[in-house]
Amino acid sequence: MVRNRIDVISLVAGLFFLGVAALWGFGGAVVSLTRGWPLPVLLVAVGAIGLVSAVLSSARRRGEDSEPDS
Amino acid sequence: MPETTTPPPPQPPAPVRRLERSRQNKMVAGVAGGIAEYANVDPLLVRVLLAVLTVFGGAGILLYAIGWLLLPAADQQYSLAESVLGRGRRGGNVIEALALVVVVCVFAGLAFHGNGSDLGLAVAAVVGGLLIYRHLDSRGVTKSTEDSQPVGESSTTETVPLLSSPVRAPADLATQSMEAVNRAADRLAAEQLAADDRALHGPWPEPTEPTPPPAKPAKRRSLLGAITMSTLIVVLGLLSAIDRFTGADLSPHTYLASALTVVGGGLLIGAFVGRARWLILLGIPLSIAVLAASLVPWHDHGAVGARDSRPTTVSDIQRQYTVNAGVEHLDLTGVDFAGQHVKTAVHVGAGKIEVTVPRDVDVTVHASAGAGQLDIFGAEDGGNVKQTVHEAGPDGPGGGTLDLTADVGLGQVEVHRGA
């Protein structure tokens, strides 16, 4: 199996889109976009996941051989 | 091996004309010129068309920015959006791309906010079409190289140098590409003839010996994008089947959210297996649409379109007027309210509520907009607003009372007095 790095950009975008779909698409107008916790929580959560995976994948990359990337 | 170390397979110049940003006919970024060259019309025509579209609603600028993002420049293999999203040369101009995305969002927002559901749809169609065109285009070209080069023959030398030196006289490039195309076509024709001959007269090839698959390393493109798109289309098809045959009245939210779920799921898978970053381009407008739609309550069996209601007596007035998308114009000036107390409500999902009340009636208005504007007897307010206004009219109290509720999800509420 070849080494497979997590693509953080796809991860963050995918999670954000799924969150928007879940909260405001299927929730219809039940979950308000303009008030309450959903929007801030979604943004903070997705952003934090992105940060963590970026840091992790960078650490893993440094741990492995320094094969030129990009 | 990481995805980014291998450059995409070199492509020969496209045998057919490519929709690209022109270098010769260039005023800003060559979008209009490129379209004109592709369609073989005068660039002026395209520019005038774009200018007209700009004046009427701003679609011209929107389309131009989209073209700038999605069409490759004449001397580039990939468009700005593609190179920023990681295809081809790394990191195109990120600032330029971001600026264009902002322009697209702003004008798409304007188009959506104005009267433009048709406009939004047209723009979405154009974006989708361009994406599919670029996708098929690059895929078709790659495939034809693989097909035209039998395994074992190292004829790549004749096409690779063309691309590795991007600055080259166009005439030279054209001649060489024509030669390459002709050679490939001759070879294909010869192979086809030979195959036909074998099929007719034998000896038939061993059935256990299929044509060897094209060399593996050349296949860097991930199938994920194609799989996601196909899933998306199947899901939308199933939803519309459910909508049609089970009597469930599915709201636009369901369609949009399902589409967004498929796109988000594809991206999420792409974070671990395969790559399909370009799905982000699809997810952005979809999530904007989902967020906008979430502001719009969807009423089962509500009307769509413009409606004029002009009751003439108190008993003619319905308790409730409901429009999902469109305009509800309620003209109450023909009703004599004297000594009466009337209560009615108007709900519009996306669009406009316009209520005209008689001069003398005492009115209490409860108006709200999820996102939009209120204009209640000249008092204007905008955003996410709620207002209750009591107004007795120029004649003071008396002349009957009207209790009016007017709620719009996305759009405008206007209440004013008639003559």
Side-chain angles (χ1 to χ4, degrees):
Chain A
M1 178 81 188
V2 283
R3 195 171 31 155
N4 221 336
R5 291 205 184 106
I6 293 177
D7 183 31
V8 181
I9 292 180
S10 296
L11 181 72
V12 168
L15 286 176
F16 178 73
F17 292 153
L18 285 177
V20 169
L23 286 173
W24 291 283
F26 295 115
V30 178
V31 182
S32 171
L33 172 66
T34 44
R35 3 191 133 73
W37 54 268
L39 183 61
V41 167
L42 177 70
L43 289 175
V44 169
V46 169
I49 291 172
L51 280 176
V52 168
S53 38
V55 168
L56 283 183
S57 80
S58 140
R60 194 173 358 149
R61 200 174 310 172
R62 212 168 303 157
E64 286 164 359
D65 56 28
S66 51
E67 189 183 339
D69 191 33
S70 95
Chain B
M1 190 181 289
E3 194 76 20
T4 45
T5 52
T6 324
Q11 295 180 4
V16 288
R17 237 181 313 182
R18 191 172 73 142
L19 185 53
E20 63 193 10
R21 287 175 11 224
S22 172
R23 189 146 283 270
Q24 282 94 34
N25 292 311
K26 181 173 169 176
M27 297 279 277
V28 182
V31 174
I35 293 172
E37 280 169 18
Y38 185 74
N40 212 359
V41 295
D42 193 327
L44 190 64
L45 188 69
V46 181
R47 291 196 183 109
V48 167
L49 198 66
L50 282 175
V52 169
L53 284 176
T54 302
V55 173
F56 292 101
I61 292 179
L62 179 57
L63 290 174
Y64 197 94
I66 290 170
W68 193 338
L69 267 176
L70 297 185
L71 297 184
D75 55 356
Q76 300 276 319
Q77 191 177 356
Y78 291 111
S79 69
L80 193 55
E82 285 169 318
S83 58
V84 166
L85 288 178
R87 260 179 84 187
R89 209 162 37 78
R90 286 292 285 172
N93 191 340
V94 180
I95 305 292
E96 188 182 341
L98 275 180
L100 285 168
V101 166
V102 169
V103 170
V104 168
C105 288
V106 166
F107 279 90
L110 285 180
F112 197 95
H113 194 77
N115 54 350
S117 57
D118 292 345
L119 189 64
L121 211 62
V123 170
V126 168
V127 174
L130 272 178
L131 279 173
I132 291 168
Y133 168 84
R134 290 284 301 138
H135 195 60
L136 292 181
D137 189 43
S138 55
R139 176 150 295 188
V141 171
T142 322
K143 195 166 181 304
S144 72
T145 8
E146 282 167 5
D147 289 349
S148 65
Q149 290 170 10
V151 182
E153 190 182 337
S154 63
S155 52
T156 41
T157 41
E158 70 192 18
T159 51
V160 170
L162 278 182
L163 262 149
S164 53
S165 57
V167 271
R168 190 178 270 258
D172 189 18
L173 193 85
T175 323
Q176 288 204 28
S177 63
M178 274 318 293
E179 280 169 10
V181 168
N182 285 337
R183 272 199 297 277
D186 287 349
R187 206 156 45 222
L188 270 178
E191 280 169 16
Q192 187 61 44
L193 270 177
D196 286 352
D197 194 47
R198 272 199 305 278
L200 279 173
H201 309 294
W204 292 284
E206 296 289 318
T208 52
E209 199 178 16
T211 47
K216 262 277 144 66
K219 190 99 179 166
R220 295 301 307 174
R221 288 183 61 104
S222 170
L223 277 176
L224 184 63
I227 292 172
T228 310
M229 283 305 287
S230 316
T231 312
L232 175 61
I233 290 166
V234 169
V235 165
L236 290 182
L238 288 178
L239 284 178
S240 80
I242 291 172
D243 206 351
R244 245 152 244 232
F245 300 118
T246 66
D249 192 15
L250 295 184
S251 69
H253 304 134
T254 315
Y255 283 91
L256 289 170
S258 305
L260 191 58
T261 306
V262 174
V263 170
L267 276 165
L268 202 57
I269 294 171
F272 304 97
V273 188
R275 285 288 181 277
R277 280 189 188 170
W278 60 269
L279 286 174
I280 297 173
L281 288 178
L282 207 60
I284 292 171
L286 272 176
S287 29
I288 293 173
V290 165
L291 291 176
S294 77
L295 293 171
V296 179
W298 187 259
H299 309 281
D300 285 350
H301 313 297
V304 170
R307 217 164 57 166
D308 256 315
S309 306
R310 208 180 289 267
T312 49
T313 64
V314 167
S315 55
D316 268 355
I317 300 174
Q318 296 172 23
R319 294 185 58 80
Q320 191 162 309
Y321 296 85
T322 307
V323 169
N324 275 325
V327 180
E328 174 67 64
H329 182 207
L330 180 59
D331 185 349
L332 297 172
T333 49
V335 181
D336 181 12
F337 283 90
Q340 305 272 357
H341 177 75
V342 179
K343 193 173 164 125
T344 186
V346 187
H347 302 288
V348 168
K352 184 175 180 185
I353 298 175
E354 192 181 346
V355 182
T356 313
V357 298
R359 271 178 71 83
D360 51 355
V361 68
D362 298 353
V363 187
T364 305
V365 184
H366 311 275
S368 76
Q373 270 188 310
L374 304 180
D375 175 355
I376 313 298
F377 301 120
E380 294 187 21
D381 203 353
N384 178 257
V385 277
K386 212 177 181 82
Q387 261 190 21
T388 299
V389 175
H390 182 79
E391 227 246 18
D395 66 333
T401 56
L402 169 67
D403 189 301
L404 172 70
T405 303
D407 295 322
V408 69
L410 191 68
Q412 271 180 293
V413 178
E414 193 183 322
V415 181
H416 53 87
R417 286 193 186 273

